[in-house]
Amino acid sequence: MPSADGGSGYRRSSYGRKRQYHQHPSASEPQRSRFGGYEAPEPEYQRRPPRSVESFPFDPNTVSIEDLVRLGLSERQAESIENYRAKGGRFRTKADFKKMYVISDTLYDRLEPYIDIPLLELNCADSSALLSLNGIGPFYAGRILEYRRALGGFVNKEQLREIRGMDSSRFASLAEQVRVDSTLAKELDIWHSTEERLAAHPYLGARRARAVMRFKSVYDSTCWTVGKLREE
């Protein structure tokens, strides 16, 4: 039976209910997501305090994992370096340390002044020590030892240039890895050495050796001076 409002009461009442159903919930009520569940509360992030790092001299060939972490490396980075060394890897120069994939340019730039790789003392090195140097194989190790014996010892690095076959690039690489203690070199006693020994010295040779022997046969030993010898 139609109502007094012309039959529209049912629709109005349904419309009212629909409007009531679609009213937004109050701000205090939790809201459902479009998937039906309640939205997760926003996490409260706690910022970690900045990690303190140290700077001190270290040899990458012997430094411990703990000290690498103190220097600013992560444990994983430090373990990568330890694994490299365990497999026979060796850092001969600072540049070798930089080549490690776990070492970023920023980290290397900070640590570079503190990298302290002991240099090989050239007058004490044996063949195996020389072979550990970058760019030196059995051939050049043998020539270095041979030339050192002939000289009686090196007094400076520049003498390495005098070795037959030593080019500029090889010398530059070698000079970065060695040092010379000149006090370990033996001085040549030209007045009491045999002619054969004098002739074998790289700075004298057979002709000068004969000249020394002739000088000694002519002059009394009280006149045996290098200055007098040069005058002859």
Side-chain angles (χ1 to χ4, degrees):
M1 186 174 183
S3 60
D5 57 4
S8 60
Y10 175 76
R11 297 187 184 90
R12 189 162 42 246
S13 124
S14 299
Y15 177 72
R17 285 198 300 273
K18 289 180 180 180
R19 290 186 60 189
Q20 183 178 5
Y21 178 78
H22 286 290
Q23 286 180 349
H24 293 287
S26 64
S28 62
E29 296 178 358
Q31 298 184 20
R32 293 178 179 270
S33 69
R34 63 189 183 93
F35 298 106
Y38 290 105
E39 295 180 355
E42 294 185 2
E44 296 182 1
Y45 294 102
Q46 293 184 353
R47 181 172 296 177
R48 293 182 179 180
R51 177 184 167 196
S52 61
V53 297
E54 303 176 48
S55 298
F56 51 85
F58 70 99
D59 179 1
N61 291 299
T62 58
V63 64
S64 66
I65 291 179
E66 292 75 13
D67 282 346
L68 285 171
V69 172
R70 287 172 58 202
L71 287 165
L73 280 71
S74 68
E75 289 189 8
R76 180 172 295 182
Q77 289 173 315
E79 289 172 355
S80 294
I81 291 176
E82 175 64 21
N83 291 337
Y84 171 76
R85 297 186 307 201
K87 294 178 181 178
R90 180 174 175 80
F91 302 101
R92 298 179 177 88
T93 64
K94 292 182 178 183
D96 290 340
F97 187 69
K98 184 179 183 180
K99 292 176 184 177
M100 292 293 293
Y101 72 94
V102 296
I103 303 299
S104 66
D105 290 342
T106 302
L107 180 60
Y108 176 79
D109 289 342
R110 182 174 67 81
L111 295 179
E112 188 272 336
Y114 302 98
I115 299 175
D116 184 16
I117 301 176
L119 301 178
L120 180 66
E121 205 295 305
L122 208 52
N123 284 322
C124 291
D126 58 13
S127 180
S128 61
L130 291 173
L131 288 173
S132 71
L133 298 175
N134 189 29
I136 299 299
F139 178 77
Y140 278 100
R143 284 200 169 178
I144 291 172
L145 293 176
E146 180 183 354
Y147 197 64
R148 185 180 71 187
R149 283 192 295 268
L151 287 173
F154 294 101
V155 295
N156 57 63
K157 295 181 184 181
E158 290 297 317
Q159 290 176 298
L160 291 169
R161 294 182 183 272
E162 301 164 4
I163 297 175
R164 185 161 48 91
M166 181 69 67
D167 55 36
S168 298
S169 60
R170 193 181 303 275
F171 168 77
S173 173
L174 182 57
E176 292 180 349
Q177 305 174 70
V178 299
R179 65 183 182 88
V180 172
D181 183 353
S182 60
T183 63
L184 298 176
K186 298 177 181 179
E187 293 186 1
L188 177 64
D189 184 358
I190 62 174
W191 308 120
H192 299 93
S193 296
T194 64
E195 182 176 350
E196 181 181 7
R197 175 67 184 94
L198 293 174
H201 196 282
Y203 296 164
L204 293 176
R207 185 175 64 84
R208 289 190 177 93
R210 287 194 298 271
V212 171
M213 302 306 291
R214 185 169 55 252
F215 175 86
K216 291 195 298 181
S217 66
V218 173
Y219 292 94
D220 185 81
S221 60
T222 57
C223 299
W224 290 357
T225 64
V226 174
K228 184 69 174 177
L229 178 61
R230 286 175 175 171
E231 292 176 2
E232 295 299 317

